[in-house]
Amino acid sequence: MLKTQTSLSTWSQERNMKWLVLLGLVTFSECIVKIPLRRVKTMRKTLSGKNILNNFLKEHAYRLSQISSCGSNLTFHPLRNIKDRLYVGNITIGTPPQEFQVIFDTGSSDLWVTSVFCTSPTCSTHVMFRHFDSSTFRPTKKTFSINYGSGRMKGVVVHDTVRIGDLVSTDQPFGLSVVELGFDGIPFDGVMGLNYPKLSFSGAIPIFDNLRNQGAISEPVFAFYLSKDEQEGSVVMFGGVDHRYYKGELNWIPLIQAGDWSVHMDSISMKRKVIACSGGCKAVVDTGTSLIEGPRRLVNNIQKLIRAMPRGSEYYVSCSAVNTLPPIIFTIKGINYPVPAQAYILKDSRGHCYTTFKEDRLSPPSTETWILGDVFLRRYFSVFDRGNDRIGLARAV
């Protein structure tokens, strides 16, 4: 049930001005629900034939017995694969609902969208949340900031009703950005963090936890199937797993520790020779990262092995080499997960081929850490099991 609150439009002028001043003073401080993430023609266009797709998937739902045991509701939602760079899906916030395209990100824990108070040039290209149009909006005085690999933001924590398809989280805390830096040219309106609560920079309870606490999700599980560019059918599932999206059995990998989607990786190899992670290392499974990232020295070594040449910020190879370059194999808990050259080499807008290995600048140098982003996850269906603190991987169909 929606909680009815005082409409912001009826607030007194004095209270409205106090909140404006607050935003201006913000400074940086360092059961199964299935949502198809479908490529659409425009960022704002709703999927046509949506009801037909919903009915079909409801009739063909499947859930793993070791994860799910009760009845389920199914919700479906379009998402766009933007040139294999990122995946965004629409959510709504407020009463009446306002729609936003956000990145579903297992690498972070905060939900935020752009606010009407954001003055950064990037914000003018995003849909902005109009708090004064929502009758369920509730402000707070708490501020926060987040640094991402591609940019950073600062904002203020607020509360409102958030919907992911048919999933509804009432009085959900989330962030409204007032400054965004480094996100130029990225077509999104915000981020939906799906990591553990302890990684929240805003201190707000993540939406997955709130949905679970409110009884909207029967089991603490979600999963991703990410399609290739120009293909439809990307799916994120909440509350269970559909076996039609992967081949064989799921391989379960325990987290290094509860509280972060990180696992132990045995090695990275090519042509039966270990080329990185020689003594074992940390691997972060991150749907919000498009590439495969690691320590600079080891990434540079991989670029040399595949004969990639630097050009600006990218490393390029001859497009004809894609058919001869060997797969790079990520071994996790004794299981090999090969990523072929057709997956780790992509084409840019000019038709030139670049590698998808990149230096990770955020992880501490004391520990070898690799981020397995969308390049890896397009090959492997991934299950995030909060109930058992583990990740499941299987070959995607």
Side-chain angles (χ1 to χ4, degrees), residues 211-229:
L211 288 168
R212 180 182 173 187
N213 294 342
Q214 294 178 8
I217 297 174
S218 59
E219 298 290 338
V221 175
F222 57 91
F224 280 87
Y225 171 81
L226 301 181
S227 70
K228 297 179 181 179
D229 187 33

Side-chain angles (χ1 to χ4, degrees), residues 43 79 88 107 135 168 178 205 210 251 261 281 285 297 308 326 354 370 375 391:
M43 290 291 288
L79 182 144
V88 292
S135 63
V168 181
V178 295
I205 182 171
N210 219 23
N251 301 311
W261 295 120
C281 61
V285 185
R297 177 180 62 84
Y354 66 94
W370 288 84
V375 169
I391 292 174

Side-chain angles (χ1 to χ4, degrees), residues 54-124:
N54 286 353
N55 293 336
F56 172 81
L57 290 176
K58 285 180 180 179
E59 293 172 1
H60 295 82
Y62 175 87
R63 305 160 79 242
L64 289 179
S65 59
Q66 67 263 40
I67 296 179
S68 305
S69 59
C70 62
S72 64
N73 293 318
L74 294 173
T75 298
F76 305 92
H77 207 67
L79 182 144
R80 185 180 181 184
N81 174 356
I82 303 176
K83 298 181 179 179
D84 285 342
R85 286 286 190 172
L86 71 158
Y87 291 81
V88 292
N90 61 303
I91 65 171
T92 65
I93 303 176
T95 308
Q98 301 175 38
E99 187 173 272
F100 303 88
Q101 294 278 354
V102 298
I103 298 172
F104 287 73
D105 179 24
T106 60
S108 65
S109 301
D110 292 287
L111 167 62
W112 64 269
V113 295
T114 305
S115 79
V116 293
F117 299 111
C118 185
T119 58
S120 302
T122 299
C123 295
S124 64

Side-chain angles (χ1 to χ4, degrees), residues 322 325-328 337-345 375 379-380 395:
V322 173
L325 286 171
I328 293 178
Y337 297 92
V339 177
Q342 291 83 353
Y344 67 76
I345 302 294
V375 169
R379 300 287 300 177
Y380 297 100
R395 182 70 173 89

Side-chain angles (χ1 to χ4, degrees), residues 311 316-319 345-354:
R311 191 185 309 161
Y316 286 83
V317 298
S318 169
C319 290
I345 302 294
L346 298 178
K347 282 188 178 181
D348 62 18
S349 59
R350 298 170 299 172
H352 299 157
C353 291
Y354 66 94

